[in-house]
Amino acid sequence: MRPPAALRVYFLRHVQVALNSLGRLYRAPLASLMTAAVIGIALALPSGLYILTDNLQRLGSQWDGGANLSLFLRHDVSIEQAEALREKLAQWPEIERLRLITPQEALAEFRQLSGFGDTLDILDENPLPAVLALKPAAEATRPEAAAALKQRLQALPQVELAQLDLQWVKRFNALVDIVQRAIWILSALLALAVLLITGNTIRLEIQNRREEIEITKLIGATGAFIRRPFLYSGLWYGFGGALLAALLLALAFVQLNAPVRELAGLYESSFRLHLLEPGQWLLLLLCGALLGLVGAWIAVSRHLATIEPG
Amino acid sequence: MIRFDNISKRYPEGRDALQGVSFHLPAGAMAFLTGHSGAGKSTLLKLIALLERATRGQLFLDGENLTRTGKRKVPLVRRKIGMIFQNYRLLFDRTVFDNVALPLVIAGHRHQDIARRVRAALDKVGLLDKERALPITLSGGEQQRVGIARAVVNKPPLLLADEPTGNLDPELSRDIMRLFEEFNRVGVTVLIASHDLDLIARMGHPQLRLHQGRLLNPEVLAPPQ
Ligand SMILES: Nc1ncnc2c1ncn2[C@@H]1O[C@H](COP(=O)(O)OP(=O)(O)OP(=O)(O)O)[C@@H](O)[C@H]1O
Ligand SMILES: [Mg+2]
């Protein structure tokens, strides 16, 4: 179905005004670029920090020592029973990896690490219990989930003590949490800055075109007609700023990618820097354009009404 | 077309610019508005275009009571009026063509339609060859004619002109006045404020004479009882 003629004309006029506004910015390239660059930096900063914490979190979940659980078995549990328990626990979906350390193995390890060597021979009985060392599956590494898993394991009759080595994960997650909160606050402040920048730029534009606004009002222009070019200017500033922000992020990525690969290689890690998903790029452009539009809207509603022909 | 019913206008700071003005300008008529400087001529025209609001009285344009027109309806009223100013009020960063096209763009006409109408209007004021020029490169008389082309391009039923010949030499003034008569001949209502008394007298249209905000000859265009 073809849209009705009036709607087509309306749409066409919007396209025309949008292109005119863009052309006006293009004719003052330096001033336009400066405004867009300031907006771009303001948008790139929180986006870049977000990407940084996102990568830290990916790195954290890749870390083998993520969250580890040690199950110390009772002394009266035999090797066979311990082996049976290991096989049973291996079926649990919350558990990714599981290793049985027999008392002999534990003693050998202790002997080697402690250097007590011969002294241990004096003992006629091995005092060390069998231990099941397990690593929770990825979903169960968050502190609450890991604690719940520990509770279930502690309740098993064969288990003397379940010990959760959580400190590192807890600290890491808490740190990321704080940083992410800080990024939200920073984002809000910088969004405000973008509003102020576009608002001020549009205010100056309104002042420069005061005569034109008066004359068009004189000839019967509606408020919407006069507002439209300024709103599109704001939209373009925001969109252009977001494009520049994307460019800055990509440049930073290129600068950091090679050294990070090299470092990961040294640790035999497959870790790779991760930029943004396609949807997130789109969101960045959308946010930029929207902030520009809102900034222009604020300037327009505050300053256009005061211009009346007389 | 225009009816003033006991209109008074007082500016916030100052005395009455108009006091108890009543007249009726029928559709298709042409009239002049005269009076000393400060008599209230510009004020009277501004009330019609809703650039100012009356303090007292009723004002009708084309049957619509303008004293009750809301802010949002003001642009629609102005589109019925072609306004011509002593200081032209052109956009100096736009070509003659774009200046004349402005009322059509505002009203949302189609592109081809706009080009055709703008050329017709420029042809009428004898500036067809200047459509690409910037106003700054034109003489005063030519700029005034651009203003007139802009005022008539969307064929408004009413033309208001505030001292359209104030800056022009006698010969040019006569040309401009003849142009107004031409528009009037095809049915446009015309009201012109001017103190070029000699020129006006020779043309023989009714005159509204203002003196310190009062109409000296209310019998000339008296409203029907
Ligand atoms: N915006 C305004 N604020 C206050 N007083 C005003 C304003 N505009 C006009 N006046 C006053 O109203 C009176 C009428 O002014 P108006 O401009 O209508 O006169 P005019 O007949 O057009 O004069 P001129 O021939 O000089 O243009 C004058 O006394 C003027 O000082
Ligand atoms: Mg005047």
Side-chain angles (χ1 to χ4, degrees):
Chain A
M1 197 181 85
R2 277 159 67 95
L7 199 67
R8 267 216 329 273
V9 169
Y10 179 82
F11 176 75
L12 250 156
R13 222 188 305 163
H14 266 270
V15 172
Q16 214 166 30
V17 176
L19 291 179
N20 276 344
S21 295
L22 191 61
R24 197 173 274 277
L25 299 188
Y26 180 76
R27 264 171 271 140
L30 202 67
S32 307
L33 209 62
M34 294 262 272
T35 304
V38 175
I39 295 171
I41 292 168
L43 290 174
L45 215 59
S47 312
L49 286 174
Y50 167 79
I51 292 171
L52 193 70
T53 52
D54 180 51
N55 277 289
L56 281 178
Q57 264 180 330
R58 283 165 196 272
L59 192 63
S61 66
Q62 266 196 13
W63 207 288
D64 254 359
N68 280 324
L69 259 163
S70 302
L71 299 185
F72 297 93
L73 303 185
R74 304 173 80 91
H75 272 288
D76 51 8
V77 175
S78 70
I79 299 282
E80 291 73 32
Q81 284 169 322
E83 182 60 35
L85 182 64
R86 188 190 72 80
E87 268 164 34
K88 190 177 121 197
L89 290 183
Q91 309 295 320
W92 288 21
E94 301 96 314
I95 294 170
E96 186 184 292
R97 214 161 352 101
L98 191 63
R99 186 162 72 92
L100 175 66
I101 305 165
T102 60
Q104 288 78 4
E105 284 168 343
L107 189 65
E109 201 173 318
F110 184 69
R111 199 190 289 276
Q112 196 190 349
L113 289 178
S114 65
F116 283 125
D118 304 337
T119 334
L120 288 172
D121 291 336
I122 304 167
L123 302 168
D124 40 331
E125 204 186 326
N126 184 351
L128 296 177
V131 177
L132 275 169
L134 61 88
K135 178 173 161 39
E139 314 84 72
T141 40
R142 286 181 311 108
E144 314 88 72
L149 180 62
K150 179 197 143 182
Q151 293 272 302
R152 283 185 63 196
L153 293 166
Q154 179 74 71
L156 293 171
Q158 301 92 324
V159 173
E160 172 86 45
L161 177 70
Q163 202 169 47
L164 185 58
D165 176 20
L166 251 188
Q167 288 312 75
W168 186 83
V169 184
K170 263 191 174 153
R171 283 187 196 143
F172 180 77
N173 279 335
L175 200 68
V176 169
D177 201 47
I178 290 170
V179 172
Q180 271 173 347
R181 260 162 219 252
I183 291 175
W184 275 114
I185 296 169
L186 190 74
S187 300
L189 287 175
L190 287 169
L192 195 67
V194 172
L195 288 185
L196 292 176
I197 296 157
T198 30
N200 194 48
T201 307
I202 299 296
R203 182 181 65 82
L204 290 175
E205 209 174 308
I206 289 172
Q207 273 174 6
N208 285 339
R209 293 169 71 182
R210 194 188 174 89
E211 174 85 2
E212 183 185 340
I213 293 166
E214 277 185 18
I215 291 172
T216 42
K217 272 196 180 174
L218 218 48
I219 311 179
T222 57
F225 180 91
I226 294 170
R227 271 197 300 273
R228 219 170 280 148
F230 296 106
L231 295 182
Y232 273 111
S233 293
L235 190 87
W236 287 126
Y237 278 129
F239 185 75
L243 276 182
L244 284 179
L247 193 71
L248 287 175
L249 293 176
L251 281 177
F253 178 78
V254 168
Q255 285 297 307
L256 289 174
N257 197 30
V260 167
R261 263 170 187 249
E262 207 167 307
L263 189 68
L266 290 179
Y267 282 88
E268 290 177 343
S269 157
S270 62
F271 180 76
R272 291 284 175 272
L273 264 190
H274 192 269
L275 209 46
L276 288 176
E277 309 286 347
Q280 291 173 317
W281 286 115
L282 221 61
L283 191 68
L284 175 64
L285 295 182
L286 208 71
C287 280
L290 204 68
L291 284 173
L293 183 64
V294 172
W297 185 272
I298 293 169
V300 159
S301 50
R302 284 196 47 196
H303 300 288
L304 270 189
T306 63
I307 301 179
E308 277 298 335
Chain B
M1 190 79 211
I2 303 171
R3 208 177 112 190
F4 273 54
D5 223 355
N6 209 14
I7 287 282
S8 296
K9 169 68 184 175
R10 172 181 299 211
Y11 286 104
E13 71 292 338
R15 50 197 177 78
D16 292 346
L18 290 176
Q19 285 182 63
V21 173
S22 299
F23 71 90
H24 175 238
L25 185 66
M30 175 159 175
F32 289 106
L33 192 57
T34 63
H36 61 91
S37 178
K41 304 183 293 293
S42 298
T43 302
L44 192 149
L45 295 181
K46 283 179 182 172
L47 289 177
I48 301 171
L50 288 175
L51 294 166
E52 295 288 352
R53 295 283 189 157
T55 324
R56 235 173 324 119
Q58 310 276 319
L59 202 174
F60 296 89
L61 173 69
D62 213 4
E64 186 187 343
N65 188 344
L66 291 189
T67 32
R68 299 221 191 95
T69 301
K71 220 173 142 82
R72 299 181 137 267
K73 290 275 173 60
V74 168
L76 297 180
V77 170
R78 289 189 186 148
R79 287 179 200 183
K80 287 192 204 166
I81 305 172
M83 280 275 267
I84 292 140
F85 309 91
Q86 183 174 2
N87 54 353
Y88 321 137
R89 309 223 66 174
L90 302 176
L91 297 175
F92 283 95
D93 59 342
R94 310 271 183 96
T95 62
V96 166
F97 183 98
D98 288 346
N99 267 281
V100 176
L102 201 55
L104 300 174
V105 173
I106 287 171
H109 284 264
R110 288 165 169 279
H111 213 65
Q112 307 90 310
D113 205 24
I114 289 176
R116 190 174 51 74
R117 285 183 184 225
V118 168
R119 299 223 166 86
L122 283 175
D123 190 28
K124 205 160 280 158
V125 299
L127 285 177
L128 201 46
D129 54 332
K130 301 276 191 195
E131 63 168 295
R132 294 274 141 243
L134 287 174
I136 205 86
T137 65
L138 303 180
S139 73
E142 287 169 329
Q143 289 187 25
Q144 187 59 282
R145 283 187 279 159
V146 174
I148 293 172
R150 183 182 67 189
V152 300
V153 73
N154 58 344
K155 298 205 166 70
L158 173 64
L159 271 184
L160 300 179
D162 196 354
E163 312 208 14
T165 61
N167 297 333
L168 306 179
D169 64 49
E171 199 175 333
L172 263 173
S173 301
R174 226 175 306 125
D175 287 350
I176 298 277
M177 288 300 187
R178 273 201 204 106
L179 209 49
F180 285 124
E181 283 188 315
E182 261 177 60
F183 290 119
N184 178 239
R185 220 168 290 139
V186 296
V188 180
T189 313
V190 181
L191 180 59
I192 302 169
S194 172
H195 33 217
D196 200 344
L197 294 177
D198 293 342
L199 180 59
I200 292 171
R202 263 180 278 139
M203 294 177 68
H205 295 285
Q207 292 180 27
L208 291 168
R209 295 215 300 274
L210 281 174
H211 182 79
Q212 294 191 347
R214 290 179 184 281
L215 204 52
L216 287 181
N217 54 344
E219 69 286 353
V220 173
L221 288 167
Q225 289 310 306

